[in-house]
Amino acid sequence: MSVATYTVKGMTCGHCVSSVKEEVGEVAGVAGVEVDLAAGLLTVDSAGPIDPAKIVAAVQEAGYEVANQ
């Protein structure tokens, strides 16, 4: 099992969290997605490593930005 954590900028509410979870959850290989709104953290569980660019693209598709990418 592989776990990766990202900092997401721009999330302000529960709808933001849902949007990010939905988009990231559709990335091939993602087994689980957790979002901590207060901390702005996105945690992605997968069976193996996933290209971070795919996660960043999914977050951008949801309308948000990954910090330090």
Side-chain angles (χ1 to χ4, degrees):
M1 193 71 154
S2 180
V3 178
T5 304
Y6 303 85
T7 301
V8 179
K9 299 192 293 186
M11 296 187 302
T12 58
C13 64
H15 177 72
C16 301
V17 169
S18 295
S19 296
V20 170
K21 280 180 134 177
E22 183 178 338
E23 290 295 337
V24 173
E26 291 177 1
V27 173
V30 170
V33 180
E34 291 298 323
V35 178
D36 181 336
L37 178 61
L41 293 178
L42 163 67
T43 303
V44 180
D45 295 323
S46 58
I50 294 178
D51 182 357
K54 292 182 180 180
I55 302 299
V56 171
V59 170
Q60 290 172 341
E61 183 69 27
Y64 306 97
E65 184 181 345
V66 174
N68 302 323
Q69 291 294 319

